[in-house]
Amino acid sequence: MPSITVKLYSVFFKMRLKNRLQGWIQTPPDESSNQEGVRTRPEEPVSASNPSFTDGIATKDIRVDPSTALSVRIFLPESALLPSERPQPKSKAEESSLKSENNGDQGYTPSGQNCRKLPIMLQFHGGGWVSGSNDSVANDSFCQRIAKLCDAIVVAVGYRLAPESKYPAAFEDGLKVLNWLGKQSNNSTGDEPWLVAHADPSRCVLLGVSCGANIADYVARRTVELGKELDPIKVVAQILMYPFFLANEPTQSEIRLANTYFYDKAICLLAWQLFLPKDEFSLEHPAANPLAPNRGPPLKLMPPTLTVVAEHDWMRDQGVAYSEELRKVNVPAPLLDYKDTVHEFATLEMLLKTPQAEACAEDICIWVKKYISLGCHEFSY
């Protein structure tokens, strides 16, 4: 069972989030007053970017769409550099000093010669559509961990949040960033030097956390439908971490765990009400249920899909069911089921250092390296 600390923190977490959601439902924000949308909440702590390598990672924020709040944070591992280019190891005190003095520093600039190419992991954060951000303290730490373990460039998407931007804004943002990544890999069209120099678009993985898993799955489906239109982007796999899937038919985990930790059923339904347009609200909406009737393309065309689920998550069985359906049509779709864990157990700030969170990140990277190692990515769109 989760610890007493987790249980107590969950109580306050749910109380605070439920009050916020109910407030938005009772007094909806004026969408016309903020047409750009928002990608973060002022009360949620964020981590500053650092374009110089600190603890093996350099980070940079980019505004992808000048007409909206859509942005990305790039996590570039030091392994992208040639040995002669890598900075000398520094003490923790020196690294901390560099972070605080990083005012206006342009940081790392690629030499343009013999740059090492790395796979791309396009990451979508969680937060129930209404909170979280790509530069939150928790998401920043998680993405740094994944970039190091997988030896990959992580591009974390700061998509527009509800209720200011309802469906399909977040889904459209995900696809827009994928198209943007394709342009960055070309010297003639790319304007982001880290990606031009180091990104290998033929090895792209989608990684979605909670509601971000729903975005990842949507983007994966669109890559199947668009095919060569997305060249040179090739999506070779996707990772769905405790997906935010729903359906009309209650599952056993939903019945047993409706009032579970952090994101319980009542809170999730409020979040979906804020995300979906009023006339589209349904638990069978394609954004909520990946197995909804007439949702294309055929499952057999989906990329290899790793699904992570938590024992004490009321949405657990929906993720299990989707994984099972993929396997029935011969899509490589393993399931990682972690005991004594809760929704977002590997990505919540207070749980990042737990053995389960560390093991989950390592397990993800062991699996995904089959598809991103050079010479091993025979499956792609």
Side-chain angles (χ1 to χ4, degrees), residues 141-193:
S141 298
F142 172 72
C143 289
Q144 290 204 35
R145 174 179 285 173
I146 292 295
K148 289 178 190 177
L149 287 173
C150 295
D151 193 21
I153 299 171
V154 175
V155 178
V157 180
Y159 56 84
R160 289 169 289 168
L161 301 177
E164 292 85 354
S165 301
K166 292 184 178 290
Y167 172 86
F171 287 66
E172 292 174 343
D173 287 351
L175 189 60
K176 183 174 289 187
V177 171
L178 192 69
N179 278 290
W180 176 81
L181 282 176
K183 295 178 181 178
Q184 299 311 311
S185 63
N186 189 316
N187 284 321
S188 61
T189 59
D191 55 12
E192 180 10 68

Side-chain angles (χ1 to χ4, degrees), residues 54-74:
T54 301
D55 197 22
I57 297 286
T59 58
K60 180 193 293 189
D61 295 327
I62 303 292
R63 184 80 170 260
V64 172
D65 182 357
S67 66
T68 72
L70 176 61
S71 68
V72 298
R73 171 164 289 186
I74 303 170

